[in-house]
Amino acid sequence: MSPKYKSKPRKKRIVTIILVVVLLVFLLFPRRFDIKDGGSVLYCGFAGIVYQVEQRHRIYDLPGYAAYEVGTVVRIFFIEVFNNSHVDYEHARPLGHSPEVEALDKELGSLYESETT
């Protein structure tokens, strides 16, 4: 056999390997999405089908207070394999403003009303 016939299957194998690697890089390369729920970030492969990693920093409403749900959630093929998210009650904040801010708000509101009339 001549070397010509041996090189064709070898070239075909190399091209196939390169295509598979390019496809895997496209499917597995992480894309970052910022979620507008308080600061959560989602990293996922192609359309989130292969994997999703969510770093949660989500606002969690309590009566009169707001806390954050923090942690990490990992999903592979939409199946949750890891979840250590929890609500951080230690750093909860009241929903209302401080008395100083309320007084300043009333003062600025009255100034705005007098300017418009």
Side-chain angles (χ1 to χ4, degrees):
M1 287 192 204
S2 69
K4 228 182 211 185
Y5 295 112
K6 288 183 179 181
S7 68
K8 279 191 178 184
R10 188 172 183 190
K11 286 181 184 178
K12 201 177 210 182
R13 181 181 291 166
I14 290 173
V15 169
T16 304
I17 291 171
I18 289 173
L19 287 175
V20 167
V21 167
V22 167
L23 182 65
L24 285 175
V25 166
F26 177 73
L27 288 176
L28 299 177
F29 189 79
R31 288 150 183 88
R32 178 186 169 132
F33 298 98
D34 295 320
I35 303 171
K36 296 181 181 180
D37 64 351
S40 297
V41 180
L42 179 69
Y43 299 95
C44 60
F46 177 71
I49 295 171
V50 180
Y51 71 92
Q52 294 179 352
V53 177
E54 181 181 0
Q55 293 179 336
R56 286 193 177 164
H57 194 263
R58 179 183 300 175
I59 295 175
Y60 187 80
D61 289 329
L62 300 169
Y65 285 89
Y68 282 101
E69 181 181 358
V70 294
T72 303
V73 178
V74 178
R75 292 183 189 95
I76 299 175
F77 295 112
F78 299 112
I79 299 170
E80 192 172 290
V81 294
F82 179 77
N83 185 349
N84 74 343
S85 63
H86 63 279
V87 177
D88 185 12
Y89 293 107
E90 293 178 17
H91 298 98
R93 298 185 183 255
L95 291 177
H97 297 292
S98 67
E100 295 86 15
V101 172
E102 292 291 337
L104 185 61
D105 191 34
K106 286 181 184 177
E107 183 180 322
L108 290 176
S110 64
L111 287 175
Y112 177 74
E113 289 173 5
S114 65
E115 289 178 3
T116 58
T117 57

